[in-house]
Amino acid sequence: MTSAKTDASVVLVHAAWTDGSSWNKVTGELQRKGLKVVAAQIPLTSFNDDVAVLKKVLLRQKGPIVLAGHSYGGAVITAAAAGQLADVKALVYIAAIVRMREKTVGDVFRRVPPHPSAPKLQPDADGFLWLTVDAFRSAFAPMHRHQKRLLWRRTQKAYCLEVSRGTDDQSAWREKPTWFLIAEKDLMVSPETQRFTAARMKSKVVSCLWTILLGLKA
């Protein structure tokens, strides 16, 4: 594989229940292609917190930026890249939740009834949502081996229920070109919702079977 030097940076934004390490394989591949890569670490404490942290990451980059978000990360990049961040040249959505103006993250997530195999989510006493071992196996990372799933389960980042309630009127996809990877077997974000969202944004669309957690699966 040949690499080409470029001034472009790729900023990757993780989903709920995980962190920037979920992009490890993708990060390695992009670096081998000569790209600068940053896997942002968002706190998952509230939607506004996550957007604020990502904006700080974006402002630290020099030159053009391609911004990618997986699942819930799609909502975060949509808000964070809006407005004056001219260096963000393109948005890439991977099986993503993308808010539409007045809609919350939770509204988009519940647009289509959940798949029967999707985990039942209940917040703990502090308002944080966790996944069980069974949920990781059946819905969150079904394509991976038991040891990998167990590791993610033990290192998961629970997210606060406030994340699902956040709203923001800024939508960067109205201002910038977008690409959308539809995961046809995703059990967390309905493929129907993904297709609806991609069509609404007039994105260039690619489909695969599964999503990313340590590498795309064809």
Side-chain angles (χ1 to χ4, degrees), residues 66-135:
V66 175
L67 182 56
H70 173 219
S71 193
Y72 164 67
V76 179
I77 71 172
T78 297
Q84 302 303 311
L85 289 171
D87 284 343
V88 177
K89 302 301 183 183
L91 303 170
V92 180
Y93 294 94
I94 296 93
I97 295 172
V98 185
R99 292 186 45 263
M100 302 290 178
R101 294 268 182 200
E102 71 281 359
K103 300 295 184 182
T104 67
V105 170
D107 291 336
V108 178
F109 187 75
R110 294 187 296 269
R111 180 181 174 273
V112 174
H115 191 279
S117 297
K120 305 298 186 291
L121 302 176
Q122 293 294 332
D124 64 16
D126 297 314
F128 282 82
L129 296 165
W130 300 83
L131 286 182
T132 65
V133 173
D134 287 342

Side-chain angles (χ1 to χ4, degrees), residues 91-93 177-182 198 201-206:
L91 303 170
V92 180
Y93 294 94
T178 64
W179 281 257
F180 202 112
L181 189 150
I182 296 172
M201 297 191 300
K202 298 181 172 58
S203 300
K204 296 180 181 179
V205 174
V206 178

Side-chain angles (χ1 to χ4, degrees), residues 38-52:
V38 175
Q41 301 280 13
I42 54 175
L44 302 179
T45 48
S46 77
F47 183 71
N48 290 338
D49 288 349
D50 294 338
V51 171

Side-chain angles (χ1 to χ4, degrees), residues 6 33 42 59 137 141 151 158 192 204 207:
T6 175
K33 292 179 181 293
I42 54 175
L59 289 171
R137 179 173 58 250
L151 177 61
E192 180 181 331
K204 296 180 181 179
S207 292

